[in-house]
């Protein structure tokens, strides 16, 4: 690969490249940060700076960078069979092997998977498969899917409709028909005077109220992320998910646990639903499934749903050219092998989660921090103008954006969701690297506080 100067790369970038989730004009004025290499939890940019990747890329690089075993798996498969499809009654060994492996690590109700190229496609697949399921059951009126405001389920038309990001809806005439939203279990912002436990129940019971409003015979499914990721690492109160499960059971609707972030060990359990004790019927998966080394996703389908689709017969008119791509499947198989062989999930649960929680919690003493929270290797902190209130800065997002830039300047990637700072480091991070992550975020918080004082933000 040619090594152009940073300035030259930035010039070509803004001349030709429309980035995802980016203000093009703003980026052209500023110039992209160009990442040229990475090793373990460390990124290297085009100026040679080493930055601790506190976000695992986009929540996906669970095994860290530079894993030769994953590269070898892709290389071997590409020489042997770089591509073939699974349409028209064909298959190939990597997809078959991965399907079987996935049923070993997912909860016992899952015996089948539908492969996709991404998490968004997994959610699109879910919408079509759920509606087909109810048609086959003789209840075609059940086509409404209930989701949550500020949830994230991807960027395709169906994914963004399931998501509850209002700015996304406004740009595309979304949501599509048959998708409705209830409020999120975000105690810090919306909990009012209720205790977290009381608030968790109230937020869950909005599902029952919504089902009654729509008509129980019209509701097909409920979807939620066990912990909302892109929405700001929103960890629901412990009362929330059991009540959601109870309501889904009561009305006989399908429960979809979007495990694209929480799956494959992020919370310290293999899947987020296992941590919160739900029994989903469908699980969209992606991201950690291949540690991000190649794009792949899938929809895990519980037996009671899959058996209806299989027994009733008839073609499911749905699929992607790259559903079950051989090289991506081979990488995912290798990724699952490493997760199991190195006991990565157990190590997150038994060692790293507690260590990270204690270190992260120490940031709660900072004058700018209104709350810290963590689960597994997911962390968030709320930036506030005055403690101990749960009031946000008037110009929401500005302080968070400043803090994010100062994090990068201090050599750590943390993402700002409005004024919530979030991290999700690789699951292979060491305790010493967790110390380093927290030290760097703390330094950025001090510098953010100095800037807040100078600019009289309140
Ligand atoms: C990232 C994400 C998706 C979308 O996955 P893509 O691979 O980006 O399409 C869906 N659901 C959740 C919870 C996600 O975090």
């Amino acid at each position: 690969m040619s090594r152009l100067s940073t300035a030259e790369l930035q010039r070509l970038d803004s001349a030709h490249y429309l980035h995802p989730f980016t203000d093009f004009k703003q980026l052209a004025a500023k110039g992209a940060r160009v990442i040229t290499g990475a090793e373990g939890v460390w990124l290297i940019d085009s100026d040679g700076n080493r930055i601790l990747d506190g976000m695992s890329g986009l929540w996906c690089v669970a095994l860290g960078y530079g894993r030769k075993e994953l590269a070898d798996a892709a290389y071997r498969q590409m020489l042997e069979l770089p591509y073939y499809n699974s349409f028209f009654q064909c298959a190939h060994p990597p997809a078959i092997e991965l399907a079987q492996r996935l049923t070993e690590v997912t909860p016992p109700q899952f015996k089948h998977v539908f492969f996709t190229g991404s998490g968004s496609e997994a959610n699109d697949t879910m919408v079509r498969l759920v509606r087909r399921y109810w048609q086959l059951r003789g209840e075609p009126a059940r086509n409404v899917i209930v989701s949550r405001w500020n949830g994230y389920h991807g960027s395709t038309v169906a994914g963004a409709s399931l998501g509850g990001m209002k700015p996304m809806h406004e740009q595309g005439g979304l949501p599509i028909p048959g998708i409705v939203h209830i409020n999120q279990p975000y105690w810090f912002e919306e909990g009012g005077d209720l205790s977290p436990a009381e608030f968790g129940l109230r937020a869950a019971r909005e599902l029952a109220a919504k089902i009654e409003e729509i008509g129980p015979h019209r509701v097909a499914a409920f979807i939620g992320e066990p912990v909302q990721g892109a929405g700001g690492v929103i960890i629901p109160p412990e009362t929330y998910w059991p009540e959601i499960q109870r309501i889904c059971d009561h009305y006989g609707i399908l429960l979809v646990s979007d495990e694209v972030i929480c799956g494959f060990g992020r919370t310290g359990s293999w899947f987020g639903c296992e941590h919160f004790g739900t029994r989903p019927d469908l699980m969209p998966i992606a991201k950690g499934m291949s540690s991000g080394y190649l794009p792949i996703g899938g929809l895990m389908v519980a037996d009671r749903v899959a058996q209806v689709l299989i027994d009733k017969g008839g073609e499911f008119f749905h699929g992607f050219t790259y559903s079950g791509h051989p090289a991506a499947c081979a990488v995912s198989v290798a990724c699952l092998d490493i997760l199991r062989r190195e006991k990565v999930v157990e190590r997150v649960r038994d060692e790293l989660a507690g260590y990270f929680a204690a270190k992260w919690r120490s940031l709660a003493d900072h004058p700018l921090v209104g709350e810290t929270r963590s689960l597994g290797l997911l962390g968030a902190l709320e930036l506030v103008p005055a403690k101990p209130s749960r009031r946000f800065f008037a110009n929401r997002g500005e302080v968070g954006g400043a803090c994010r830039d100062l994090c990068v300047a201090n050599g750590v990637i943390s993402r700002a969701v409005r004024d919530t700072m979030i991290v999700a480091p690789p699951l292979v991070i060491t305790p010493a690297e967790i110390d380093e992550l927290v030290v760097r975020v703390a330094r950025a918080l001090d510098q953010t506080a100095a800037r807040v004082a100078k600019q009289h933000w309140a």
Side-chain angles (χ1 to χ4, degrees):
M1 200 72 69
S2 70
R3 272 300 144 82
L4 302 171
S5 69
T6 301
E8 186 62 1
L9 286 164
Q10 288 173 330
R11 190 187 66 75
L12 292 172
D13 177 64
S14 59
H16 304 296
Y17 186 5
L18 298 175
H19 292 225
F21 282 98
T22 294
D23 178 334
F24 307 132
K25 188 171 174 184
Q26 200 180 53
L27 178 67
K30 196 173 161 191
R33 185 181 331 114
V34 182
I35 305 301
T36 53
E39 188 61 39
V41 301
W42 296 94
L43 303 171
I44 298 150
D45 73 12
S46 53
D47 295 326
N49 296 309
R50 276 165 57 83
I51 308 168
L52 202 165
D53 187 4
M55 284 306 297
S56 308
L58 283 177
W59 324 84
C60 49
V61 189
L63 295 175
Y65 299 92
R67 285 278 182 159
K68 188 161 181 305
E69 194 175 334
L70 300 183
D72 286 342
Y75 182 73
R76 270 197 315 273
Q77 186 57 45
M78 286 174 101
L79 290 179
E80 197 168 308
L81 178 71
Y83 178 77
Y84 203 69
N85 63 72
S86 308
F87 289 31
F88 316 129
Q89 310 195 343
C90 290
H92 49 70
I96 297 169
E97 200 178 327
L98 178 58
Q100 189 266 333
R101 286 277 218 294
L102 284 168
T103 64
E104 288 175 1
V105 299
T106 49
Q109 67 270 33
F110 294 107
K111 301 274 187 295
H112 294 86
V113 62
F114 191 105
F115 287 122
T116 67
S118 69
S120 299
E121 289 176 9
N123 277 308
D124 279 52
T125 300
M126 182 281 287
V127 171
R128 300 204 57 208
L129 191 142
V130 158
R131 289 178 176 167
R132 171 153 172 81
Y133 165 81
W134 286 114
Q135 282 171 356
L136 291 173
R137 291 271 316 258
E139 294 190 67
R142 277 195 194 261
N143 61 12
V144 178
I145 299 171
V146 183
S147 179
R148 303 175 304 176
W149 294 119
N150 200 38
Y152 187 79
H153 301 291
S155 205
T156 51
V157 168
S161 294
L162 292 167
M165 303 292 183
K166 285 180 185 156
M168 290 177 76
H169 290 175
E170 281 161 14
Q171 287 179 349
L174 305 179
I176 55 173
I179 293 175
V180 300
H181 299 80
I182 60 174
N183 286 313
Q184 57 182 336
Y186 186 14
W187 179 79
F188 189 82
E189 177 164 14
E190 298 172 11
D193 295 332
L194 298 178
S195 70
E198 291 166 339
F199 173 70
L201 285 178
R202 192 186 75 184
R205 285 174 188 160
E206 286 197 26
L207 174 58
K210 185 58 89 178
I211 292 170
E212 289 296 342
E213 176 194 320
I214 299 165
H217 65 289
R218 290 189 51 221
V219 181
F222 172 78
I223 182 170
E225 305 152 81
V227 173
Q228 285 157 263
V233 178
I234 294 161
I235 304 168
E238 290 294 331
T239 51
Y240 180 76
W241 277 110
E243 183 67 0
I244 290 283
Q245 178 74 63
R246 190 190 65 75
I247 293 165
C248 289
D249 290 345
H250 176 77
Y251 288 101
I253 70 172
L254 299 173
L255 175 57
V256 186
S257 184
D258 184 337
E259 299 278 353
V260 172
I261 285 178
C262 292
F264 305 98
R266 177 57 59 192
T267 67
S269 300
W270 269 87
F271 293 88
C273 59
E274 295 169 309
H275 174 82
F276 290 106
T278 58
R279 286 169 285 99
D281 301 292
L282 298 136
M283 294 201 312
I285 53 176
K287 294 191 172 132
M289 180 179 179
S290 64
S291 229
Y293 277 56
L294 281 179
I296 185 167
L299 179 68
M300 299 302 304
V301 183
D303 229 18
R304 70 177 180 126
V305 176
Q307 280 313 322
V308 172
L309 303 173
I310 295 165
D311 293 346
K312 296 268 181 179
E315 181 169 341
F316 181 35
F317 297 109
H318 178 79
F320 306 101
T321 302
Y322 300 125
S323 287
H325 187 284
C329 287
V331 168
S332 184
V333 167
C335 179
L336 295 183
D337 283 352
I338 295 175
L339 284 172
R340 289 205 279 194
R341 191 177 69 229
E342 296 184 0
K343 301 204 182 321
V344 173
V345 184
E346 292 80 352
R347 202 167 140 264
V348 172
R349 185 192 62 203
D350 300 335
E351 296 170 35
L352 294 176
Y355 190 83
F356 172 67
K359 288 281 165 182
W360 191 250
R361 204 160 44 234
S362 72
L363 296 172
D365 296 335
H366 196 278
L368 214 50
V369 175
E371 179 184 88
T372 62
R373 52 181 181 266
S374 77
L375 177 65
L377 286 180
L378 288 165
L381 53 82
E382 302 282 3
L383 302 179
V384 294
K387 295 169 76 163
S389 86
R390 276 147 60 204
R391 184 173 68 79
F392 292 104
F393 285 96
N395 202 351
R396 246 179 123 181
E398 214 171 325
V399 178
C403 185
R404 177 204 49 224
D405 292 347
L406 288 166
C407 281
V408 177
N410 282 285
V412 62
I413 303 280
S414 165
R415 181 158 148 186
V417 180
R418 295 173 299 274
D419 294 327
T420 310
M421 304 307 299
I422 60 177
V423 291
L427 306 185
V428 295
I429 194 169
T430 64
E433 287 164 339
I434 289 176
D435 293 350
E436 195 59 41
L437 182 151
V438 173
V439 164
R440 290 173 188 222
V441 170
R443 229 176 267 149
L445 286 172
D446 286 343
Q447 293 167 5
T448 308
R451 202 177 288 186
V452 168
K454 207 165 72 196
Q455 307 202 353
H456 308 293
W457 276 327

